[in-house]
């Protein structure tokens, strides 16, 4: 049985009065639900966000079902349980470095597009070098050990004749066997 999860979307830019959307789904259907939102088949507020040119990043995923979703929505302060908002606040207050804040906001699991949104949200032009994996890591240097050269094979007239005979047997068309007759098959 699949467990339920509650997810929070952090809108970018904020949609007039709303900065977040909280929903729930079965854990195995979360990716499909997020795709539904992206394609305009999700909640009305995510449709409006997309229509107005806005987007969102995944702010948090936690265990729970519809009861937990309702509880969070009744709090009327999604920023308290949004990892992106907590990371922004931590960075602005000096409690988190930029690298720590981006990691807390989900940098390591975000797609390249979501990473670009996170950079916009954090007001950065580029990701800190510590978060960019080496695109061309130095190859490990392996010692070059030359392989020994085999001794040359000296052909004899007997070997040449054998090779010629094999080649001729492979390239000469073979006669088709005569088809069996009923008499021969039953005998």
């Amino acid at each position: 049985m699949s467990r339920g999860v509650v997810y929070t979307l952090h809108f970018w830019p904020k949609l007039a009065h709303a900065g977040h959307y909280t929903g729930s789904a079965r854990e195995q259907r979360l990716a499909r639900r997020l795709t539904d939102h992206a394609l305009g088949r999700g909640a009305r507020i995510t449709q409006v966000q997309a229509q107005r040119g806005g987007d969102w990043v995944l702010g948090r995923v936690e265990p729970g079902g519809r009861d937990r979703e309702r509880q969070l929505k009744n709090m009327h302060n999604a920023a308290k349980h949004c990892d992106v908002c907590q990371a922004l606040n931590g960075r602005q207050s000096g409690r988190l470095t930029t690298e720590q804040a981006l990691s807390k906001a989900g940098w390591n699991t975000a797609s390249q597009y979501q990473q670009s949104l996170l950079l916009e949200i954090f007001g950065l032009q580029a990701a800190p070098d510590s978060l960019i994996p080496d695109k061309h890591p130095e190859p490990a240097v392996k010692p070059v050990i030359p392989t020994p050269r085999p001794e040359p094979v000296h052909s004899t007239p007997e070997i040449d004749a054998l090779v010629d005979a094999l080649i001729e047997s492979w390239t000469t068309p073979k006669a088709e066997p005569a088809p069996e007759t009923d008499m021969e098959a039953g005998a």
Side-chain angles (χ1 to χ4, degrees):
M1 183 172 188
S2 174
R3 67 180 204 169
V5 293
V6 177
Y7 60 93
T8 299
L9 302 179
H10 178 97
F11 288 168
W12 182 253
K14 188 175 178 180
L15 177 64
H17 66 287
H20 299 86
Y21 169 77
T22 300
S24 62
R26 289 272 169 222
E27 186 175 34
Q28 67 192 28
R29 294 185 46 87
L30 178 60
R32 178 178 279 172
R33 186 67 181 140
L34 294 173
T35 301
D36 286 342
H37 286 299
L39 296 175
R41 299 185 308 232
R44 179 68 182 137
I45 194 167
T46 57
Q47 291 173 353
V48 171
Q49 175 72 348
Q51 288 169 352
R52 294 190 181 171
D55 216 324
W56 53 82
V57 293
L58 193 57
R60 177 178 278 185
V61 177
E62 61 184 77
R66 291 197 181 273
D67 291 341
R68 177 67 176 149
E69 175 188 355
R70 179 60 37 214
Q71 180 185 23
L72 292 173
K73 285 181 174 180
N74 287 338
M75 288 173 47
H76 298 292
N77 192 355
K80 284 187 177 180
H81 61 269
C82 173
D83 290 337
V84 176
C85 289
Q86 290 179 5
L88 278 167
N89 291 338
R91 180 172 174 252
Q92 290 170 348
S93 68
R95 288 178 286 126
L96 296 175
T97 65
T98 299
E99 293 86 353
Q100 291 170 330
L102 285 170
S103 292
K104 180 172 181 56
W107 180 269
N108 299 329
T109 57
S111 68
Q112 190 174 10
Y113 178 72
Q114 291 171 336
Q115 287 178 347
S116 69
L117 288 176
L118 286 171
L119 291 176
E120 281 185 42
I121 292 168
F122 279 79
L124 301 171
Q125 296 298 316
D129 290 339
S130 62
L131 292 178
I132 299 173
D134 289 338
K135 291 183 180 174
H136 303 290
E138 291 295 319
V141 178
K142 295 181 182 178
V144 177
I145 301 172
T147 56
R149 292 186 163 207
E151 291 296 320
V153 176
H154 297 289
S155 176
T156 63
E158 293 84 16
I159 292 177
D160 288 340
L162 178 62
V163 169
D164 291 341
L166 286 171
I167 291 172
E168 186 175 331
S169 72
W170 294 333
T171 58
T172 304
K174 306 231 184 308
E176 293 293 322
E180 288 186 23
T181 61
D182 290 338
M183 298 278 289
E184 291 173 348

